[in-house]
Amino acid sequence: MIGQEVQFPAGFVWGSGISAHQAEGGNDANDWARFERAGGVKRGQVSGPASHHFERYAEDFALAAELGHQAVKLSVEWSRVEPRKGQWDEGAIAHYVDVVRSARDHGLSPYVVLHHFTNPLWLEQYGWWKGGETPALFERYVRRIAEPLGHWVDTWITVNEPMLLAGAGYLFGVWPPQERSYRSTWSVARNLMKAHILAYDAVHEVAGVCRVGPAVNVTAFKQPHRAPLRDRVLGSSLDWFANHYYIDRVRHRSDFIGIQYYSRATVQQLLSGDPLAVPDGMRRLPKTDMGWEIYPKGLYHTVRDMWQRCGLPIIVTENGIADANDERRSLFIRDHLVWLKRAIDEGADVRGYLHWALLDNFEWAEGFDARFGLIEVDYASGERTVRPSARYYEKICRSGAVSLVDPVPFDH
Ligand code: BGC
C-alpha cells in the first residue's frame, strides 16, 4: 500500500549548489578562461561575468534561504587565492571568508569544494594534473585557505568529480588541457587520489572539527536483460572504472562520500557515441535539454551500490537537470527523491540532498545554453527570477517530505 507522502529522516539536509568558475564571473587566471578564449566552448562562448555571483553572493544566499535551503555547495577558486605560485591574494582570501560567513548569516551551512575543475595557469609548468608535484602544490593551497575558512565550515569536499576531470581533460580531450592519452589519464587519476588524501589530512589539521570527503560522479550502467557477453563484461568494467576505481582507493580517508548523479548509460550508447542508441528491450526515456536520459531509479542503484561497497555516510552533492523552460524539473526532483528514499529504506545512510544548481550558470563546454538553475539568471543584467520548480522544491525542503498526491508543476 503506497502512502500519500515519502518522509525523509529527521535531520536530513536539503540544499543546492554552485561552483566558482561557473557562477562568479570575472576571472581570467585559470585554464578554463584560456580554453574559452581559444574557442573551446560551443559557439565560441566565454564565461565572462557568468552569473554575477562574485558580487551578488549575499543576494543569492538570501534567495536560497527564502527557498528553504539549509546548505549550499560552493567552491573556492584556486587561481584567485594563488594567482602566481606561492603568492597569496589576501583580498581573495578575505572574499571567501565573507562568502562563507554570509552563507552562515543566512542560515545556510556552506559545503566548501576545494577543487572544482579549474586550475591556475601557472600549474601548466608543473604538467597540470599529470605532474608529480601537483598534489603537494594543491595541498599547500588547501592549508592556506582551509585555516581562515575553518571557523564557518564544517563540511569540506576535496576534489569535485575527479574521474570526469581525468576523462574529459586527458582521455577524450574535450576539456583543458585537451590531451588524449591513456597514460596521462591514469597519472591524473592517481594524482587526484593523492590530492584527496593530502587534502583530507590537511583540512583535519588546520580547519577544526569537520567532515571531509570527495564528490564523485556516478553513472547508472544499464543493459538489456539478454545483453551479449561482450556488453556485460564491458558494462561491469565501465561501472568499476567510472564508479568505483577512485573511491575504492580513497574511502579509507573519507568521512563521507558525495555522490553526483545525472543519468544512465548503456554500453551501446558509449560505443557508438549516440545517446539515442537505446538497445532493443530497453525503454526509451525522456531527455533533458542536453539529451541526457532522465532515469531516476539510477539514483537508487548508485547510492545503494556505493553504500554496500563503502559503508560510509553519503550526501547527494549534485543531481539536476538542464531544463530552460522548467517543464520537467519538478517531476525530476520528485522522482529522484522517491528513489533516493527507497535506498534509505533499504539501509543506506544518506545525510542530505543538494540540487544542482541554485542558479543558472556556465555549463563548461556547453556554455550558457544548458540551464540547470532553480533560479533563472538573465546573463546580461544579472537579474534573478525564481522558477516554479524552486517553489515546488521549497515545500520539500521545509517539510522533509515528498508528496505523492500534490500536483507537480508542468507534469508532462
Ligand atoms: C559538475 C557541474 C556541472 C554538472 C552538470 C557536474 O559534472 O560538477 O559543474 O555543471 O555536473 O553537468
Side-chain angles (χ1 to χ4, degrees), residues 310-332:
C310 299
L312 284 170
I314 289 171
I315 304 169
V316 178
T317 41
E318 282 187 25
N319 172 237
I321 173 171
D323 180 21
N325 295 330
D326 205 39
E327 289 171 349
R328 297 185 188 275
R329 188 171 285 103
S330 303
L331 196 59
F332 179 100

Side-chain angles (χ1 to χ4, degrees), residues 22 116 160-161 164 260 262 292 318 356 363-364 372:
Q22 292 179 274
H116 195 127
N160 186 78
E161 302 197 352
L164 182 61
Q260 316 205 144
Y262 286 89
W292 298 355
E318 282 187 25
W356 183 268
E363 177 54 29
W364 307 113
F372 276 88

Side-chain angles (χ1 to χ4, degrees), residues 72-86:
V72 63
K73 175 179 184 256
L74 53 91
S75 73
V76 173
E77 176 59 41
W78 184 3
S79 65
R80 284 193 198 270
V81 171
E82 191 180 7
R84 276 168 298 281
K85 192 197 158 211

